């Protein structure tokens, strides 16, 4: 019950992200979610797409360094306090959250978050047992 | 054993080699004194005449000659034969100052080709091989030297020259090249390009002869793996002839200097004193068979060690270590001597590619050194913490090696200028002179 995230090495210089976005545009690839973690010299761009294998190939062919990681896509009721309850659950079970970012959809009552943890299996078990909904790569395709 | 081009010379007794050197040196000194006014003046200034040079034991009495002399005497000032007897010139890449031009008679080219033929046969070459010469042709000696050597061996020679990597690979596959000759950085680039195209299985290469640039043992392993070959080192310089002044045999414990043509000395670069056997210092060459452009005691600026221990390959000529640095490549940063090869060793040990660039700057009167390193798939991760952790390890390892802090900047693959000729490894922005 994970989704595939592609991470890409991008230099932290003017125009680099645009160059990258141009490749997606030319190959007709749509990003579902994205996030950048940066240092003064470079950034790690993390993206979620519908067809990660195709996108990873396009990225590598264009000469970028990229990797594919399994991450959690967590459904969160769109109301105050719901993120807190999930974070509490993760923290209490001693699962370290490496990073997280929002995943916009057109669903009215649910927000989605991408969460990167070291122990996916343990996190899936804890969250599922506590009624938190996770979505798979296939379900991702149906979300709009 | 047995891969010799001229076994009677390459495996001659030490006494025989010494006898050749004594006789040829005496003759050469006279030739130079009689025909090159620039040299005669230098010798007179030092109070030496050809009569003082009776054997190699007297070599130290002669004045040194340096690149500055070559520039002063440009273009014809050091030519020792009438120009009508010269058939060709070659020239150094001339990145700093005036170019240096070297002259050759047909005899000089023949002997130079012989030296390269020895190198090719030492790398396993025979007349059944297909020798792919990807060194540049033209003023650069690389292409012409290996091309000539390959002809002497009788191998089928492909004078590819550098550049156009796709065509290089196509020829390599179609014509079944067995020996590749080029700069090590281009060999590494070819290896990467072949891996990207998934063509390694279609290669017939068995060995490679690489020189004209500094490279490390780690880089040798990378090239050997990516091209599926045994990689041999070759050494030379335009001033002395070109590639083939020294070459590696299968023992790979140093490069045999062709002592029947070149006398090697190791000196203290500061004082000019000849150093005892086995000590590290600046390599100095005297060419004893060259007619057109003979140099006596030419300071190469390469720092290395000579080794006269018997070699398992059967050759008796002295071996020089791979140059450990060049006195003019050596950077002094914060008063510390920094050799690019030290940085390369650290990068390879830590799993990065050998493609790097060193940028030295002076900010607020203090030296700063930055090493640009290309990101590799192995070093990459989706976790910034992991990448910066590895970056920090690299900074620590560089500090341990160099003794000073160097900033590390990770850059995108293939962004450091490389390639088809010599890689630009050092950018010194300090403008100290």
């Amino acid at each position: 019950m994970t989704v595939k995230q592609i991470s890409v090495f991008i230099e932290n210089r003017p125009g680099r992200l645009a160059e990258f976005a141009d490749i997606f545009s030319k190959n007709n690839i749509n990003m579902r979610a994205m996030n950048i973690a940066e240092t003064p010299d470079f950034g790690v761009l993390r993206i979620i797409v519908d067809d990660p294998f195709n996108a990873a190939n396009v990225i590598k062919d264009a000469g970028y360094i990229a990797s594919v990681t399994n991450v959690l896509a967590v459904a969160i009721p769109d109301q105050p306090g719901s993120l807190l309850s999930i974070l509490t659950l993760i923290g209490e079970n001693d699962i370290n959250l490496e990073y997280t970012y929002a995943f916009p959809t057109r669903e009215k009552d649910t927000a989605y978050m991408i969460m990167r943890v070291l122990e996916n299996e343990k996190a899936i078990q804890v969250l599922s047992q506590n009624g938190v909904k996770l979505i798979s790569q296939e379900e991702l395709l149906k979300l709009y | 054993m047995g891969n010799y081009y001229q076994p009677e010379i390459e495996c001659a007794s030490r006494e025989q080699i010494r006898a050749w050197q004594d006789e040829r040196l005496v003759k050469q000194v006279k030739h130079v004194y009689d025909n090159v006014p620039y040299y005669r003046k230098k010798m007179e200034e030092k109070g030496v005449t050809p009569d003082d040079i009776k054997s190699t034991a007297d070599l130290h009495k002669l004045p040194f000659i340096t690149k500055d002399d070559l520039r002063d005497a440009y273009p014809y000032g050091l030519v020792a034969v009438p120009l009508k007897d010269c058939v060709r010139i070659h020239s150094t890449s001339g990145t700093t100052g005036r170019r240096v031009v070297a002259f050759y008679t047909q005899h000089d080219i023949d002997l130079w080709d012989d030296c390269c033929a020895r190198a090719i046969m030492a790398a396993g070459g025979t007349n059944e091989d297909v020798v792919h010469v990807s060194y540049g042709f033209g003023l650069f000696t690389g292409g012409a030297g290996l091309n000539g050597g390959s002809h002497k061996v009788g191998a089928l020679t492909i004078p590819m020259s550098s550049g156009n990597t796709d065509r290089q690979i196509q020829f390599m596959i179609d014509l079944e090249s067995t020996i590749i000759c080029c700069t090590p950085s281009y060999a590494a680039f070819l290896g990467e390009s072949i891996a990207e195209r998934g063509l390694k299985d279609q290669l017939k290469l068995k060995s490679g002869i690489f020189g004209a640039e500094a490279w490390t043992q780690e880089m040798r392993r990378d090239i050997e793996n990516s091209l599926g070959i045994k990689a041999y080192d070759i050494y030379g310089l335009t001033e002395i002839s070109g590639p083939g002044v020294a070459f590696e045999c299968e023992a790979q414990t140093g490069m045999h200097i062709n002592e029947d043509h070149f006398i090697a000395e190791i000196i203290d670069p500061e004082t000019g004193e000849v150093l005892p056997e086995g000590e590290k210092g600046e390599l100095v060459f005297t060419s004893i068979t060259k007619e057109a452009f003979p140099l006596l005691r030419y300071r190469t600026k390469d720092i290395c060690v000579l080794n006269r221990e018997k070699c398992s390959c059967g050759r008796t000529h002295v071996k020089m270590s791979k140059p450990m640095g060049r006195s003019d490549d050596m950077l002094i940063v914060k008063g510390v001597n920094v050799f690019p090869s030290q940085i390369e060793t650290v990068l390879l040990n830590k799993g990065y590619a050998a493609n790097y660039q060193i940028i030295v700057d002076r900010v607020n009167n203090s030296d700063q050194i930055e090493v640009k390193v290309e990101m590799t798939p192995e070093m990459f991760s989706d976790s910034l913490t992991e990448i910066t952790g590895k970056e920090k390890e690299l900074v620590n390892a560089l500090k341990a090696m160099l003794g000073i802090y160097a900033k590390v900047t990770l850059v995108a693959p293939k962004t450091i200028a490389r390639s088809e000729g010599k890689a630009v490894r050092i950018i010194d922005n300090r403008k100290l002179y």
Side-chain angles (χ1 to χ4, degrees):
Chain A
M1 195 57 90
T2 56
V3 299
K4 300 219 177 285
Q5 167 192 275
I6 302 173
S7 310
V8 190
F9 181 85
I10 308 251
E11 287 185 9
N12 192 353
R13 288 202 276 149
R16 289 302 144 114
L17 190 57
E19 258 171 41
F20 179 82
D22 184 47
I23 291 159
F24 267 28
S25 160
K26 285 192 174 117
N27 285 279
N28 209 20
I29 297 170
N30 192 21
M31 288 189 221
R32 292 298 206 105
M34 82 170 244
N35 161 267
I36 296 178
E38 88 284 356
T39 73
D41 299 325
F42 66 90
V44 177
L45 171 69
R46 299 153 182 155
I47 45 180
I48 304 290
V49 294
D50 286 343
D51 184 348
F53 293 102
N54 172 49
N57 281 334
V58 166
I59 293 166
K60 284 180 186 171
D61 285 349
Y64 287 88
I65 286 189
S67 67
V68 177
T69 320
N70 291 324
V71 293
L72 306 176
V74 184
I76 301 173
D78 193 6
Q79 60 197 49
S82 49
L83 175 62
L84 173 64
S85 65
I86 290 169
L87 293 177
T88 306
L89 202 53
I90 290 176
E92 280 172 354
N93 283 279
D94 209 20
I95 295 164
N96 189 33
L97 184 61
E98 291 269 305
Y99 54 82
T100 180
Y101 53 97
F103 182 175
T105 68
R106 287 177 198 154
E107 270 187 35
K108 232 175 145 188
D109 305 321
T110 313
Y112 290 85
M113 297 288 289
I114 296 295
M115 293 190 177
R116 164 75 157 121
V117 296
L118 285 184
E119 301 159 281
N120 271 342
E121 291 313 312
K122 185 177 171 191
I124 291 167
Q125 201 187 354
V126 167
L127 292 172
S128 309
Q129 277 170 1
N130 288 277
V132 177
K133 191 183 154 209
L134 294 164
I135 56 166
S136 66
Q137 191 74 35
E138 292 72 38
E139 286 167 310
L140 184 78
L141 293 173
K142 297 176 205 141
L143 280 184
Y144 258 113
Chain B
M1 284 274 250
N3 295 326
Y4 313 116
Y5 174 66
Q6 292 165 311
E8 71 291 352
I9 298 172
E10 293 174 64
C11 305
S13 69
R14 288 303 313 170
E15 295 69 38
Q16 177 62 70
I17 294 170
R18 181 70 186 244
W20 283 327
Q21 290 189 335
D22 287 342
E23 181 204 329
R24 290 170 188 178
L25 175 67
V26 170
K27 210 174 125 201
Q28 188 72 296
V29 172
K30 192 170 180 328
H31 170 59
V32 169
Y33 188 85
D34 290 346
N35 295 296
V36 185
Y38 189 96
Y39 245 119
R40 179 194 286 254
K41 186 164 164 276
K42 271 190 92 94
M43 284 172 67
E44 279 167 354
E45 279 166 11
K46 219 184 169 217
V48 193
T49 67
D51 291 339
D52 296 321
I53 310 300
K54 296 188 170 65
S55 75
T56 49
D58 299 318
L59 186 58
H60 68 277
K61 295 176 183 166
L62 291 167
F64 290 116
I65 189 157
T66 64
K67 202 156 200 157
D68 290 339
D69 289 309
L70 270 56
R71 288 181 181 137
D72 281 352
Y74 174 89
Y76 296 123
L78 289 169
V79 182
V81 296
L83 280 183
K84 69 176 172 55
D85 295 333
C86 296
V87 296
R88 201 199 289 168
I89 68 140
H90 280 285
S91 177
T92 58
S93 38
T95 40
T96 52
R98 249 160 156 183
R99 276 183 173 273
V100 167
V101 174
F103 296 77
Y104 303 76
T105 63
Q106 187 55 51
H107 175 78
D108 292 337
I109 286 173
D110 273 343
L111 298 186
W112 172 28
D113 287 349
D114 284 344
C115 291
C116 290
R118 291 178 195 174
I120 291 169
M121 289 199 68
T126 69
N127 58 8
E128 293 183 9
D129 278 293
V130 178
V131 177
H132 190 107
V133 184
S134 304
Y135 278 114
F137 281 70
L139 289 172
F140 178 48
T141 51
L146 272 303
N147 191 69
S150 175
H151 282 208
K152 289 255 181 173
V153 170
L156 177 60
T157 312
I158 310 179
M160 283 302 301
S161 198
S162 53
N164 198 338
T165 302
D166 278 312
R167 191 180 58 188
Q168 298 265 359
I169 298 171
Q170 195 63 53
F171 267 61
M172 220 173 263
I173 292 170
D174 293 348
L175 301 178
E176 304 191 344
S177 307
T178 53
I179 298 179
I180 165 96
C181 310
C182 61
T183 58
S185 62
Y186 191 57
F189 181 75
L190 270 175
E192 282 172 37
S193 305
I194 287 164
E196 272 171 16
R197 293 164 178 73
L199 296 172
K200 190 182 166 190
D201 293 348
Q202 297 186 43
L203 297 180
K204 295 280 189 293
L205 291 175
K206 64 175 185 186
S207 58
I209 301 172
F210 308 116
E213 257 177 22
W215 54 310
T216 58
Q217 291 301 332
E218 290 82 359
M219 198 166 166
R220 186 202 297 263
R221 280 197 291 276
D222 281 356
I223 293 170
E224 287 186 335
N225 290 335
S226 67
L227 292 175
I229 58 170
K230 181 158 172 152
Y232 292 82
D233 206 350
I234 188 167
Y235 176 88
L237 56 174
T238 309
E239 297 88 326
I240 296 301
S241 64
V245 170
F247 62 92
E248 226 172 26
C249 61
E250 74 265 19
Q252 301 200 322
T253 48
M255 292 176 275
H256 290 284
I257 294 171
N258 285 308
E259 285 187 284
D260 52 325
H261 299 303
F262 316 107
I263 301 176
E265 298 170 278
I266 293 288
I267 62 160
D268 179 331
E270 300 291 323
T271 65
E273 290 300 311
V274 177
L275 293 173
E277 199 72 45
E279 282 202 29
K280 184 167 92 174
E282 183 179 338
L283 184 61
V284 172
F285 278 116
T286 298
S287 49
I288 47 176
T289 51
K290 284 268 292 278
E291 294 176 339
F293 201 69
L295 297 185
L296 306 179
R297 304 196 84 201
Y298 179 66
R299 293 185 60 159
T300 63
K301 305 237 170 149
D302 282 328
I303 306 291
C304 64
V305 177
L306 296 183
N307 171 11
R308 285 188 202 278
E309 273 171 39
K310 203 168 157 51
C311 186
S312 60
C313 77
R315 288 177 186 81
T316 48
H317 293 226
V318 68
K319 281 184 286 191
M320 60 178 274
S321 67
K322 189 185 266 298
M324 296 156 184
R326 280 182 62 78
S327 36
D328 47 3
D329 248 15
M330 187 182 80
L331 288 161
I332 301 177
V333 183
K334 293 182 180 165
V336 174
N337 295 352
V338 173
F339 290 103
S341 56
Q342 294 175 300
I343 290 171
E344 191 172 323
T345 303
V346 172
L347 290 178
L348 290 160
N349 285 344
K350 287 279 162 199
Y352 291 90
N355 217 28
Y356 60 92
Q357 197 164 54
I358 300 163
I359 299 155
V360 189
D361 228 317
R362 181 158 285 190
V363 180
N364 299 330
N365 288 320
S366 172
D367 288 343
Q368 299 196 341
I369 182 163
E370 175 187 1
V371 182
K372 281 193 176 178
V373 185
E374 287 185 357
M375 181 46 98
T376 64
E378 294 74 31
M379 304 310 289
F380 184 62
S381 155
D382 67 307
S383 159
L384 202 59
T385 320
E386 206 172 303
I387 299 175
T388 50
K390 287 179 185 169
E391 198 178 1
K392 199 156 180 249
E393 271 178 36
L394 184 57
V395 169
N396 291 340
L398 283 170
K399 178 139 201 236
M401 173 68 99
L402 305 176
I404 51 170
Y405 167 77
K407 179 189 188 303
V408 167
T409 304
L410 295 172
V411 299
K414 303 206 172 157
T415 51
I416 293 175
R418 133 174 44 189
S419 244
E420 318 236 324
K422 292 193 180 192
V424 180
R425 295 281 178 229
I426 301 167
I427 298 173
D428 195 337
N429 293 323
R430 289 177 294 182
K431 300 188 177 66
L432 297 180
Y433 306 105

